[in-house]
Amino acid sequence: MQEIMKPSSTKDIAKAIFSKYNIRYNADSINQLADLLVPLKLHYREFLQTSGKTVDNLYYIETGLVRTYHLYENTEYTDGFYKEGDMVLSPDCLYSGNLSTQNIITIEPTIVFSFSYTSIQRYAAMDEVFCHLLCAIMEERIITQQAYINMLILPTLQRFKLMSKFHSDIIWRSPSKSVASYLRMAPETLSRIRTSYNDENSDS
């Protein structure tokens, strides 16, 4: 079984989070965010979050890969993939306070840093550094979700080409069934498209 690396210090992760969103920080903001961060070491196919529960956490991935999905009529529908340097959240429950409909499960051994959305909101009301951070996280989520919606409008081949262009590492790091679910196509369709795409690129 692949070993999970040792998590970085919470201060280093706090700096990485602020830097990810190009936010100027100071010593106090680093210490405040670091105090909120809780490192989690997860093995392969371990749940970070399950549906049907109240969730107040955001998750920053230091290393590894996770998949978010929801169930409808006993069928899994992949909503997204998140890898090192990504922020994972479930807006359906963070914003409304409703029970989450989303599951988050690891695809690889993963190190995640969890922190409270409510605490970030509280800091944001008093400190513009955290206000900028909260806005940046939510803006990123909105942009990412809209890009995914726009992709699903495209024909199946174009969906795969778009994912191959911007997220080729996700394709080879993830099970084909999960990738097919994310692209909203049958696994057989993905296999056929992938073979055709590989043949096309090998000839060029």
Side-chain angles (χ1 to χ4, degrees):
M1 180 180 293
Q2 183 178 347
E3 286 291 327
I4 304 176
M5 297 174 59
K6 182 180 178 181
S8 296
S9 71
T10 54
K11 284 190 177 181
D12 285 342
I13 295 300
K15 291 176 184 177
I17 292 173
F18 282 126
S19 297
K20 168 182 170 62
Y21 296 105
N22 298 313
I23 294 172
R24 292 184 179 179
Y25 55 84
N26 52 49
D28 286 341
S29 54
I30 286 295
N31 289 331
Q32 286 175 312
L33 181 54
D35 287 343
L36 295 178
L37 295 171
V38 178
L40 303 170
K41 295 173 66 174
L42 305 171
H43 295 284
Y44 167 67
R45 288 193 61 80
E46 187 171 350
F47 281 98
L48 176 61
Q49 177 181 301
T50 55
S51 61
K53 296 182 179 179
T54 300
V55 176
D56 183 48
N57 291 327
L58 296 88
Y59 308 100
Y60 175 81
I61 301 177
E62 182 182 12
T63 61
L65 179 64
V66 304
R67 176 174 72 100
T68 62
Y69 71 92
H70 68 276
L71 289 171
Y72 179 71
E73 294 184 348
N74 295 321
T75 300
E76 290 186 8
Y77 291 89
T78 299
D79 302 312
F81 298 94
Y82 299 88
K83 59 182 181 179
E84 46 278 345
D86 286 341
M87 191 72 72
V88 190
L89 61 149
S90 297
D92 62 325
C93 54
L94 286 180
Y95 301 156
S96 66
N98 295 331
L99 300 181
S100 176
T101 60
Q102 199 169 62
N103 300 279
I104 305 176
I105 190 170
T106 61
I107 294 176
E108 301 172 353
T110 300
I111 294 176
V112 169
F113 283 79
S114 171
F115 58 105
S116 166
Y117 175 67
T118 302
S119 296
I120 292 293
Q121 280 186 309
R122 187 170 62 251
Y123 284 153
M126 302 178 291
D127 187 337
E128 67 175 5
V129 173
F130 285 93
C131 184
H132 292 320
L133 175 61
L134 189 58
C135 288
I137 292 172
M138 298 311 162
E139 286 172 3
E140 178 186 50
R141 174 67 188 191
I142 292 169
I143 292 170
T144 301
Q145 187 62 28
Q146 187 58 53
Y148 179 53
I149 292 171
N150 292 342
M151 182 191 70
L152 292 182
I153 299 173
L154 300 173
T156 52
L157 177 58
Q158 295 304 313
R159 284 179 233 162
F160 179 78
K161 285 185 174 181
L162 197 62
M163 189 172 182
S164 297
K165 181 178 180 180
F166 294 105
H167 304 291
S168 60
D169 60 328
I170 296 295
I171 293 178
W172 64 260
R173 291 169 66 181
S174 306
S176 295
K177 184 178 180 181
S178 298
V179 174
S181 174
Y182 176 70
L183 294 173
R184 298 298 188 262
M185 61 179 69
E188 298 77 11
T189 302
L190 173 62
S191 178
R192 185 173 64 252
I193 289 175
R194 179 183 251 164
T195 300
S196 175
Y197 179 80
N198 291 338
D199 289 345
E200 177 184 313
N201 282 272
S202 63
D203 292 339
S204 59

